[in-house]
Amino acid sequence: MNASPRVAMVAGETSGDLLAGLLLDGMQSHWPALQSFGIGGPQMARRGFEAWWPSEKLAVHGYSMEVLRRLRELLSIRKSLRSDLLKNRPDVFIGVDAPDFNLGLEADLRAAGIKTVHFVCPSIWAWRADRVEKIRRSADHVLCIFPFEPELLARHGIEATYVGHPLAGVIPMVPDRSAARAQLGLQDADEVVAILPGSRSSEIQYIAKPFFEAAALIRQARPAIKLVVPAVPALQSRIAQVAQECGLQDAVQIVAGQSHAVLAACDATLIASGTATLEAALFKRPMVIAYHMQPLSWWLMRRKQLQPWVGLPNILCGEFVVPELIQDAATPEALCAATLDWLDARRHNPSRISALEQRFTVLHESLLRNTPRLAADAIQKILAPTA
C-alpha cells in the first residue's frame, strides 16, 4: 500500500464539503502525509485539500433550465478534471455525493483502472431506482450513511460499507439550548423560530419568499417571537433583501452560517427539504418541512418518487412524524399554521414534543458511528495491494 496515497475528491455544495472534511480527518489519521485534490470547499481546505475548483460550482438544483443554464460549464469542468486525473493518476478517486456529476466521472476513471469510491449512496430507495446500474458501473465501493443501504446495494452486486452519518457524531445527543441562545444573543424565555430557506441560490429564489411571508404571519400571531435565519454568507444579502420585501427587515435576525447554533436555540423550525432537515432532527427540534421548485422540475421529480415522504426525518422514520408542505401546498398561510401548531404544542401539549424528541433520539442513536474511522478503514482495504 502506498505510504502516502494521492486521493482525488469531488464534493459538491456545503453538505458535501462537510462530509468530505470529516472523511479527510479519518484518512489523515491513517496517512498523515495524505495528498488530496480536486473539487472542494472550505471544510476540505482546512484539512490541506487542494481545490482546483470550488465546491459551489456544483450547486445546481432540479431539472430543466436551472441545470441547462449551467450544463456547458459543468461538462467543461468534468472534462478537464477527467483529463487531468487520467494523466496524473490518483491512487483512489472519491466522489462525495453530487451523483449527477460524480457517477459518470467515476465510471470513466474506473474503466481506466483507477479505484473509485462513492461516499453517500444515491437515494435509489426514495427515487431514481434506475441509478443502481450506473452505481454498479461507477463505484468499486460505496460508503453508506444509512444502515439499510448496504443490504439494498448487495442485492445488485455492489460492495458497500455502512459508516454511519457524520452529522450524528457532530451534533450532541442532548443539545445545549441555553448556550446556543447565549451565543446568538437570545434569552432563555424567548420563543424562537429558526427559518432555513436553503443553501442554494435557486432555493432562495423559490422558497425564501413563502417562508418570510409565513414568518410575517407568525409574527402577527406572536408579536414577541424571535425569528432567526442562518444564511450561507454568499446568499446573506439576497436573503436580507427578501426579508425586507416581506416587511421583516427589523424583525429577522440573519446570521452568517451558525446553522447548528440556530437549530439548537430554536423552539421550532421552518426548513427547506434537504440535509438540514436531518440536522434539525438530530437537534431534536420540531419542524415544518417545505419545498418549492420550478414546475417542470417538480413534475419530473414527482414521476420518479418511490415513497410518500420527501423529508429525510420522515423517510428514516417511515411515517409523517413532521409535516411536509411541498410545491403548491407550501403557501404562507399553511406554513404559518403548521409552525404555530408546534409552538402551541410546546405551551399546551408538551408530551407531543417529548414524543418527537424521543423518536429523534432513537434515530440519532441508529446513525451514530465513528464515521471518519470506518470510512478510512474501508478505503484502506480498497487501496491494499491484491495478492
Side-chain angles (χ1 to χ4, degrees), residues 98-140:
D100 289 318
F101 186 96
N102 276 326
L103 289 178
L105 178 59
E106 289 165 22
D108 290 343
L109 297 177
R110 190 181 186 204
I114 296 172
K115 295 289 188 180
T116 60
V117 174
H118 194 82
F119 186 18
V120 182
C121 177
S123 303
I124 54 175
W125 36 267
W127 69 300
R128 290 191 67 172
D130 55 302
R131 260 188 181 157
V132 70
E133 180 56 38
K134 193 168 188 178
I135 299 169
R136 182 163 43 213
R137 291 196 313 269
S138 302
D140 286 296

Side-chain angles (χ1 to χ4, degrees), residues 128-281:
R128 290 191 67 172
D130 55 302
R131 260 188 181 157
V132 70
E133 180 56 38
K134 193 168 188 178
I135 299 169
R136 182 163 43 213
R137 291 196 313 269
S138 302
D140 286 296
H141 204 90
V142 179
L143 302 177
C144 299
I145 61 175
F146 298 125
F148 58 84
E149 292 174 327
E151 181 182 353
L152 175 61
L153 291 173
R155 292 181 211 152
H156 299 280
I158 300 169
E159 294 188 10
T161 300
Y162 173 54
V163 298
H165 200 296
L167 288 171
V170 171
I171 296 170
M173 195 64 70
V174 181
D176 191 335
R177 186 194 304 266
S178 293
R181 291 191 170 201
Q183 179 180 331
L184 296 167
L186 300 167
Q187 302 300 312
D188 282 342
D190 287 337
E191 194 169 43
V192 180
V193 170
I195 301 173
L196 281 77
S199 59
R200 302 167 175 165
S201 177
S202 53
E203 289 172 328
I204 303 306
Q205 176 182 351
Y206 287 106
I207 200 66
K209 187 174 181 182
F211 272 21
F212 285 122
E213 288 174 343
L217 295 174
I218 293 169
R219 192 163 178 258
Q220 289 178 18
R222 298 274 214 282
I225 198 82
K226 302 296 184 183
L227 304 169
V228 188
V229 185
V232 175
L235 297 174
Q236 190 168 352
S237 61
R238 189 169 169 194
I239 289 171
Q241 180 181 349
V242 178
Q244 183 174 0
E245 291 170 358
C246 297
L248 292 173
Q249 60 270 26
D250 298 322
V252 175
Q253 179 181 349
I254 301 174
V255 297
Q258 300 186 72
S259 62
H260 284 192
V262 173
L263 287 171
C266 75
D267 293 298
T269 176
L270 181 55
I271 190 165
S273 180
T275 302
T277 63
L278 180 60
E279 294 177 278

